[in-house]
Amino acid sequence: MGIETESTETPSQNDGPSNFIRNIMIEDIKSGKHEGRIQTRFPPEPNGYLHIGHAKAICLDFGLAAEFGGKCNLRFDDTNPSKEDTEYVNAIMEDVQWLGFQWDNLFYASDYFPQLYEWAIQLIKDGKAYVCDLNADEIRAHRGTLTEPGTDSPYRNRSVDENLNLFARMKQGEFPDGSRTLRAKIDMSAPNLSLRDPVMYRILHLAHHRTGNQWCIYPMYDYAHGQSDSIERVTHSMCTLEFDNNRALYNWFIEQLGIFPSRQYEFDRLALTHTLLSKRKLLKLVEERLVEGWDDPRMPTLSGMRRRGYTPSAIRNFIASVGVSKTNGITQLQQLEYFLRQDLNRLVPRIMCVQKPLRVVIENYPDGQVEEMDAINNPEDSSAGSRKIPFSKTIYIEDDDFREDPPSKFYRLSPGREVRLRYAYLITCREVIKDSSGTIVELRCTYDPATRGGNTPDGRKVKSTIHWVSADHALPAEVRLYDNLFVKEDPNEVEEGHDFTENLNPDSLQVLADCKVEPSVRDAERGTKYQFERLGYYCVDRNSEDGLVFNRTIGLRDSWAKIEKRGA
RNA sequence: UGGGGCGUAGCCAAGUGGUAAGGCACCGGUCUUUGAAUCCGGCAUUCGUUGGUUCGAAUCCACCCGCCCCAGCCA
């Protein structure tokens, strides 16, 4: 009874509101720029797992290219071997495909190391780059401040020959890490700090995940990214707002080199309440074992969300709904949850599961009798069919569905009251059995045989329909309830000297070990999604070897909880 | 305090001189064998502020206010 949510064609961004990048593309096509060709790229650094924030970039990069019949490459931005790893490249490829996208070409910035090196030599020959012997601290000191201009490096005016010689020896491995850099010769007094003779190459005697020990000098992001775009003939290079300052440098290298003029466009990154979208901080959670791993269902990573039970289409629909602009904003988590529920409601089969079992004996039901009740699998999808559910004298109902002393708006089961058991019978509570400590251990009820299937031939109305499972037939299951990982809307809101981990929600995971689920799911495969009627959406966790374990993806909206809270 | 970006409802967001789309949230009501879903209705006389231009301004101009980014040999 699993569901297939993979799509066969690349989803586009058609359904969202228009946005400024799409408008630019439409104008460019209209004016015949690049012969109307649109090409983008998704350029992750393989130094961590992809998260929901990356999903926005992915949907834009791939979606917009697809919308205009263009290409989108996946290019790993692997210019810093100290942080990158093939574990991450594999995870990234899996996540992009799971989201529903397929790249035209797979590239690595490291593919371009030889070309980048040649271009560096060209810039040196043109007098536009030089080898600098200043160390990191000295470079910083020379850079000036936000309000004061920097000062020229004493090595700024070396001869072309000396620069060529030194740069070749840097590549040869003659110098230790950090001893020299290759810098672009631009303007130490530029108001834009990224133009104050930025470092192009640094010495790093480190093995690279792809090029091994072939190189000991590695290009910086600014020197690699634009040229990589240019080499691939990317027309529209989308990135997040914080790179706005880098655009001038992006353009500078392309202009000096006289190569294909890719253009960079910046958009706002996704931010969500109660959620951290920083690879560095997510890494910390993983490394310090504050979560189970990158795919912990509480993580905002795509792998975590996949394990939690999110569908790719829910994420895509959500991304389309938030739009693209240049405003720094924080989207409320409820917006994501809305699209999650919307998708799951449409796709997922319903079953019954009792999370907190309360035993009910139906006194006038024949001992040993078992009836098979018909249950609809998905009222939103008639093709989903129906199934049989066993009913017997002893059942479990949800503890929350009974109140000995019901508050005014509570219309579920209570002494003397009648409710419907979904797809089964109407029952009336006759007696409450308690143990010596006064806790309710069992309810004695009677049923009306004329109401089989939950129907009321006499037209009588019952206020409530509750879910149940047959005690003798139900399967034991563990259910994991998840709540926000962070208690504060902004997890970074901490007092001076404190850490975001202090905002971790101690109740983000609640394990219910003694749940009872209907027998139809006995052989459910890992990842299978269900709606537990009246409770929420769940999926079978990958760790279900010792019995069924369900992750609660998201609860159903609960207006009773709201009413009750309001009254309290 | 230098440079850059951005301010439209609680949140996201269209709108680029002709009189404020849409979504989330919220509030009513409808329907209901899921207190779900559905369906219907409500929700900015006003677009950060103040002036100006104009028959007419969220849109153009000026000033002011606020928020974000940049001083990694990270990306």
Side-chain angles (χ1 to χ4, degrees):
Chain A
M1 248 204 293
I3 55 155
E4 193 51 60
T5 51
E6 309 304 323
S7 59
T8 50
E9 54 188 65
T10 302
S12 77
Q13 290 288 295
N14 280 328
D15 30 8
S18 191
N19 67 63
F20 75 98
I21 296 177
R22 176 190 283 120
N23 292 155
I24 288 168
M25 289 181 171
I26 291 170
E27 286 306 310
D28 287 347
I29 289 170
K30 199 186 294 174
S31 71
K33 193 172 184 179
H34 307 309
E35 296 78 47
R37 187 176 59 87
I38 297 292
Q39 184 170 149
T40 62
R41 99 271 90 117
F42 173 59
E45 182 187 13
N47 68 341
Y49 280 58
L50 260 24
H51 54 62
I52 180 86
H54 295 107
K56 178 170 180 175
I58 293 170
C59 289
L60 269 181
D61 291 332
F62 287 94
L64 248 17
E67 186 177 329
F68 295 109
K71 290 206 295 189
C72 178
N73 297 327
L74 172 61
R75 183 179 70 236
F76 287 100
D77 219 334
D78 55 351
T79 57
N80 184 355
S82 71
K83 296 182 176 177
E84 296 151 8
D85 194 274
T86 48
E87 176 200 346
Y88 298 127
V89 343
N90 293 331
I92 289 168
M93 291 195 286
E94 183 183 358
D95 288 343
V96 169
Q97 292 180 118
W98 175 73
L99 237 203
F101 298 97
Q102 184 57 55
W103 47 90
D104 285 280
N105 292 291
L106 174 62
F107 292 130
Y108 295 80
S110 53
D111 295 339
Y112 311 134
F113 284 173
Q115 174 65 266
L116 259 9
Y117 180 75
E118 290 306 314
W119 278 336
I121 288 172
Q122 182 184 324
L123 290 173
I124 291 171
K125 287 178 177 168
D126 291 346
K128 290 166 181 165
Y130 63 97
V131 172
C132 181
D133 300 0
L134 258 24
N135 66 31
D137 287 339
E138 294 164 336
I139 287 184
R140 187 179 313 119
H142 281 75
R143 188 152 32 223
T145 68
L146 295 179
T147 53
E148 300 161 303
T151 50
D152 287 0
S153 162
Y155 306 98
R156 198 171 201 261
N157 295 311
R158 290 219 250 230
S159 70
V160 169
D161 284 345
E162 187 182 7
N163 282 138
L164 252 16
N165 173 272
L166 254 15
F167 187 51
R169 290 166 61 196
M170 277 170 64
K171 177 175 184 273
Q172 239 54 263
E174 287 188 31
F175 310 121
D177 288 5
S179 61
R180 285 175 224 265
T181 56
L182 182 72
R183 296 229 256 162
K185 191 190 284 189
I186 308 180
D187 179 3
M188 288 308 292
S189 62
N192 180 344
L193 302 212
S194 65
L195 259 20
R196 319 246 263 226
D197 287 13
V199 172
M200 295 163 59
Y201 274 93
R202 73 292 214 178
I203 301 172
L204 242 32
H205 290 268
L206 236 40
H208 183 277
H209 75 111
R210 298 202 88 225
T211 60
N213 294 309
Q214 226 176 299
W215 298 85
C216 64
I217 55 171
Y218 291 94
M220 298 287 290
Y221 166 85
D222 285 306
Y223 182 64
H225 202 95
Q227 288 91 302
S228 299
D229 285 341
S230 181
I231 290 168
E232 295 172 18
R233 304 181 73 76
V234 167
T235 58
H236 300 259
S237 179
M238 278 91 85
C239 64
T240 44
L241 252 26
E242 68 272 23
F243 288 97
D244 194 315
N245 296 309
N246 302 57
R247 189 178 62 245
L249 185 51
Y250 179 104
N251 291 337
W252 190 86
F253 283 123
I254 284 178
E255 279 161 25
Q256 301 311 310
L257 262 11
I259 56 181
F260 181 83
S262 297
R263 289 290 165 199
Q264 174 181 300
Y265 300 93
E266 309 84 21
F267 64 90
D268 59 332
R269 63 160 70 231
L270 178 70
L272 282 175
T273 56
H274 302 286
T275 307
L276 216 47
L277 296 180
S278 145
K279 275 202 265 185
R280 205 199 98 237
K281 288 175 182 165
L282 295 178
L283 210 211
K284 181 180 165 99
L285 295 177
V286 172
E287 285 183 335
E288 296 185 4
R289 307 224 152 235
L290 269 9
V291 294
E292 222 186 278
W294 287 103
D295 77 340
D296 185 301
R298 294 165 296 181
M299 289 281 271
T301 51
L302 295 179
S303 56
M305 294 171 81
R306 174 165 64 237
R307 184 172 169 198
R308 171 86 167 248
Y310 274 77
T311 55
S313 43
I315 295 173
R316 279 189 245 116
N317 294 343
F318 163 70
I319 295 296
S321 81
V322 299
V324 183
S325 73
K326 298 183 74 129
T327 319
N328 279 311
I330 302 173
T331 299
Q332 296 175 330
L333 202 53
Q334 301 150 115
Q335 190 160 341
L336 207 211
E337 294 176 340
Y338 170 84
F339 286 96
L340 212 212
R341 290 193 181 100
Q342 176 189 265
D343 212 39
L344 260 9
N345 177 52
R346 170 174 74 85
L347 297 168
V348 161
R350 269 121 250 237
I351 61 169
M352 291 198 283
C353 173
V354 174
Q355 279 183 171
K356 296 173 185 165
L358 172 58
R359 184 183 169 86
V360 172
V361 175
I362 298 160
E363 294 178 317
N364 60 336
Y365 194 81
D367 287 332
Q369 178 172 306
V370 177
E371 288 182 85
E372 296 285 313
M373 315 308 281
D374 286 309
I376 294 165
N377 287 147
N378 186 350
E380 306 288 328
D381 176 8
S382 53
S383 72
S386 64
R387 67 190 185 288
K388 302 283 189 188
I389 306 174
F391 181 80
S392 64
K393 186 182 181 79
T394 305
I395 62 173
Y396 292 113
I397 66 167
E398 203 67 60
D399 184 64
D400 289 346
D401 286 340
F402 176 79
R403 288 294 167 81
E404 187 171 21
D405 186 19
S408 66
K409 297 261 180 51
F410 183 91
Y411 48 80
R412 275 112 89 148
L413 196 62
S414 59
R417 192 181 287 174
E418 182 176 56
V419 298
R420 173 187 291 111
L421 294 177
R422 174 143 244 224
Y423 299 128
Y425 288 103
L426 269 56
I427 59 168
T428 302
C429 178
R430 301 298 176 187
E431 193 185 343
V432 179
I433 314 278
K434 298 178 183 175
D435 64 15
S436 55
S437 70
T439 48
I440 300 169
V441 293
E442 182 180 297
L443 263 26
R444 310 292 292 194
C445 296
T446 56
Y447 84 117
D448 177 354
T451 60
R452 191 176 197 282
N455 300 304
T456 51
D458 60 356
R460 120 178 75 123
K461 299 278 185 230
V462 278
K463 289 278 275 279
S464 181
T465 298
I466 65 174
H467 57 99
W468 55 276
V469 292
S470 168
D472 289 341
H473 306 268
L475 269 24
E478 175 177 313
V479 168
R480 298 178 182 166
L481 305 179
Y482 301 106
D483 195 358
N484 298 336
L485 230 200
F486 294 95
V487 288
K488 290 196 177 171
E489 279 211 350
D490 175 8
N492 289 315
E493 184 191 309
V494 286
E495 289 183 24
E496 243 339 273
H498 291 251
D499 187 63
F500 72 93
T501 56
E502 290 173 29
N503 287 147
L504 247 8
N505 177 4
D507 302 315
S508 59
L509 168 63
Q510 188 188 348
V511 177
L512 301 176
D514 302 308
C515 306
K516 304 286 186 182
V517 62
E518 66 169 70
S520 69
V521 301
R522 187 183 308 277
D523 301 314
E525 289 178 20
R526 315 288 161 84
T528 309
K529 299 172 174 65
Y530 298 102
Q531 182 198 96
F532 290 177
E533 294 223 27
R534 302 209 309 129
L535 295 177
Y537 298 97
Y538 298 74
C539 70
V540 181
D541 189 65
R542 59 172 170 73
N543 292 334
S544 287
E545 55 281 319
D546 303 321
L548 288 165
V549 175
F550 290 96
N551 295 314
R552 183 174 70 185
T553 309
I554 183 82
L556 251 28
R557 289 184 60 165
D558 187 352
S559 57
W560 161 242
K562 200 178 288 181
I563 293 167
E564 195 178 29
K565 195 175 175 185
R566 205 182 284 165

